[in-house]
Amino acid sequence: MAFWSIKLPLKMAEDKNLYNKVISVSNLFLAYKRARKHKTKKDYVIEFEKKLISNILELNRGLQNQTYLPRTLKTFILRDPKTRKISKSAFRDRIVHHAIFRIIESRFEKIFIYDSCANRIGKGNLFALKRFDEFKRKVTKNFTRESYCLKADIKHYFEEVDHEILINILKRKIRDERVIWLIGQILNNTPMQGGEAKKGMPLGNLTSQFFANVYLNELDYFVKHQLKAKYYIRYVDDFVILHESKEQLENWKAKIEEFLKQELKIEHHPQKSRIISLSRGVDFVGFRNFYYYRLLRKRNIKNMKQKIEMFKQGLMSEEKFLDSFQGWSAYAKWANNYKLRENLRSSINTEFNGRLGKDSE
């Protein structure tokens, strides 16, 4: 018997058993541990843990019978630094999100391109910055020739993701229809009123972050394999292409726009998608990137100054402010803004009795 004829049925059996792996008690328990990370003091976690075993078993039964329904999302507005509508899932539903992600993530991770930088282990915005610096040097031949950047993002991306297209993409790697059913339950749980949603994903779900990469992996392949763009980086729906020819980037921009509309039913943001000379600086992943240095975005600085004022006026707790400021400082160190960071730190050090110390380069 040929080798492949033995392996194929095993693979098919594994695919058909995928749902059982997702909903298994052991996987749900591991998913619960991931969902509670950094949230152990939250009331909803404490409440769930009072009857932990019975809650996990109840979730397992609902998933086994396919009677599981996600609870209504709680939606709120977050301004940090820009205004975003965040939809928060119930804790038991977040466990289901982690359970799905734990089992299917590896199937897609291996097909993602190297320079898809968001929500991936070992990647992130600082990884994207380093790649941008590397590409910037290469395309300009160490800043000896003028080059350009197509800087673009997707208009209302999370609101516009087409469910049917996303499901068809997922089906290429997921053959168990029960897993697809479960993903459909999550996708249809949106703040929209009346009937099942046909598009959009709630900003805030782990699954939304993952599916965002799956969906735009189609764009990644188009840019890398069809257009053969060498210096391309994507961070969620924000992407850049570097090239020495402005005309080439104009040509690619038009082709990308057509691809997005035809294949993914989304489009460029008209005000935020343009071609810029690298010498003028490019706004990417929170920084304004120039040839020899980078600066924080002005709105990022303004946002931190507002938080300092809120803390001084007693409108923000010391614990919450300290957590925010230390996170901001660690991020801001990647910019050439030492004096700014030190001035902001000094302005609040008296409130902390000098505990913040001095900034460092």
Side-chain angles (χ1 to χ4, degrees):
M1 185 180 291
F3 178 74
W4 61 265
S5 64
I6 299 174
K7 297 293 285 185
L8 187 58
L10 291 175
K11 177 64 177 174
M12 290 173 65
E14 180 185 329
D15 284 341
K16 289 182 178 179
N17 196 41
L18 197 65
Y19 187 69
N20 293 335
K21 289 182 179 180
V22 170
I23 70 168
S24 70
V25 172
S26 60
N27 188 49
L28 290 173
F29 187 76
L30 290 171
Y32 143 75
K33 292 180 76 173
R34 286 194 183 182
R36 77 191 284 270
K37 194 173 182 181
H38 305 307
K39 296 177 177 65
T40 54
K41 295 180 181 179
K42 296 288 187 181
D43 291 342
Y44 55 79
V45 175
I46 294 169
E47 189 65 28
F48 189 89
E49 290 175 338
K50 287 179 182 177
K51 297 180 179 179
L52 177 60
I53 301 302
S54 62
N55 282 332
I56 293 289
L57 291 175
E58 182 184 349
L59 201 51
N60 170 261
R61 281 193 297 273
L63 290 165
Q64 273 188 333
N65 300 331
Q66 290 185 265
T67 56
Y68 165 79
L69 277 174
R71 291 174 183 164
T72 304
L73 298 168
K74 291 183 179 178
T75 300
F76 58 95
I77 302 299
L78 181 67
R79 295 178 175 87
D80 188 19
K82 62 182 180 180
T83 301
R84 293 177 293 164
K85 185 168 74 173
I86 307 295
S87 296
K88 191 175 182 181
S89 295
F91 182 66
R92 49 90 85 162
D93 295 327
R94 280 180 256 170
I95 293 173
V96 175
H97 301 168
H98 278 276
I100 295 170
F101 181 76
R102 286 195 73 255
I103 300 302
I104 73 169
E105 184 261 348
S106 62
R107 294 183 170 219
F108 293 90
E109 175 62 29
K110 64 183 68 173
I111 67 169
F112 290 158
I113 68 166
Y114 185 73
D115 290 308
S116 167
C117 302
N119 307 310
R120 296 176 66 195
I121 294 172
K123 301 294 173 76
N125 49 12
L126 297 181
F127 174 87
L129 274 181
K130 290 177 181 178
R131 289 295 279 172
F132 187 87
D133 282 350
E134 182 183 338
F135 289 172
K136 182 174 62 178
R137 288 185 174 276
K138 286 181 177 179
V139 75
T140 61
K141 296 192 179 298
N142 282 326
F143 313 126
T144 60
R145 72 178 179 190
E146 185 174 24
S147 294
Y148 301 88
C149 175
L150 167 58
K151 165 72 172 66
D153 70 8
I154 309 300
K155 184 179 179 181
H156 303 148
Y157 177 51
F158 280 85
E159 299 172 24
E160 296 297 327
V161 167
D162 185 281
H163 290 184
E164 184 179 357
I165 293 173
L166 174 59
I167 289 294
N168 286 334
I169 294 170
L170 290 167
K171 281 182 175 180
R172 297 175 198 162
K173 289 290 180 182
I174 299 171
R175 293 193 179 94
D176 193 327
E177 286 294 333
R178 294 170 298 172
V179 177
I180 298 298
W181 167 82
L182 182 55
I183 290 170
Q185 294 293 91
I186 293 167
L187 289 175
N188 287 327
N189 186 35
T190 73
M192 295 172 62
Q193 299 295 320
E196 291 188 346
K198 299 298 182 184
K199 64 180 182 177
M201 300 187 296
L203 195 59
N205 282 355
L206 169 69
T207 46
S208 296
Q209 297 168 15
F210 175 64
F211 295 150
N213 271 344
V214 171
Y215 202 76
L216 283 183
N217 189 55
E218 303 295 299
L219 170 65
D220 297 342
Y221 273 50
F222 176 73
V223 172
K224 296 295 290 183
H225 300 298
Q226 296 294 318
L227 302 183
K228 301 191 182 300
K230 194 173 182 180
Y231 303 122
Y232 166 78
I233 310 167
R234 181 175 61 79
Y235 189 87
V236 193
D237 62 328
D238 192 3
F239 63 92
V240 292
I241 307 176
L242 281 61
H243 201 276
E244 66 269 21
S245 168
K246 188 175 183 179
E247 290 72 25
Q248 178 66 81
L249 290 176
E250 291 282 6
N251 178 267
W252 284 347
K253 182 175 182 287
K255 289 182 177 179
I256 289 171
E257 204 163 335
E258 183 181 1
F259 174 83
L260 291 174
K261 286 180 180 178
Q262 294 295 323
E263 302 298 328
L264 299 178
K265 296 185 180 178
I266 51 180
E267 58 184 316
H268 280 152
H269 195 298
Q271 280 79 46
K272 297 180 181 178
S273 302
R274 59 191 184 279
I275 295 166
I276 310 160
S277 171
L278 284 170
S279 61
R280 292 180 54 194
V282 178
D283 195 341
F284 186 52
V285 289
F287 297 89
R288 289 182 293 151
N289 299 272
F290 297 88
Y291 269 0
Y292 301 105
Y293 62 95
R294 69 173 71 97
L295 300 175
L296 285 166
R297 283 176 176 165
K298 291 179 181 178
R299 72 183 184 197
N300 187 297
I301 299 168
K302 181 181 178 181
N303 183 257
M304 181 45 62
K305 287 181 176 179
Q306 288 174 342
K307 287 185 178 180
I308 289 173
E309 287 306 310
M310 287 175 66
F311 169 68
K312 287 182 175 181
Q313 294 171 24
L315 300 174
M316 183 181 290
S317 69
E318 179 177 309
E319 182 182 5
K320 186 175 181 180
F321 173 76
L322 190 59
D323 183 58
S324 178
F325 184 78
Q326 289 178 337
W328 179 86
S329 296
Y331 183 69
K333 282 183 180 180
W334 288 83
N336 301 92
N337 290 101
Y338 173 74
K339 286 185 178 180
L340 167 72
R341 299 197 311 270
E342 183 57 25
N343 287 340
L344 291 182
R345 184 179 293 268
S346 299
S347 73
I348 57 172
N349 229 344
T350 52
E351 281 82 354
F352 288 93
N353 298 317
R355 282 181 289 146
L356 292 179
K358 288 188 176 182
D359 203 350
S360 59
E361 286 281 23

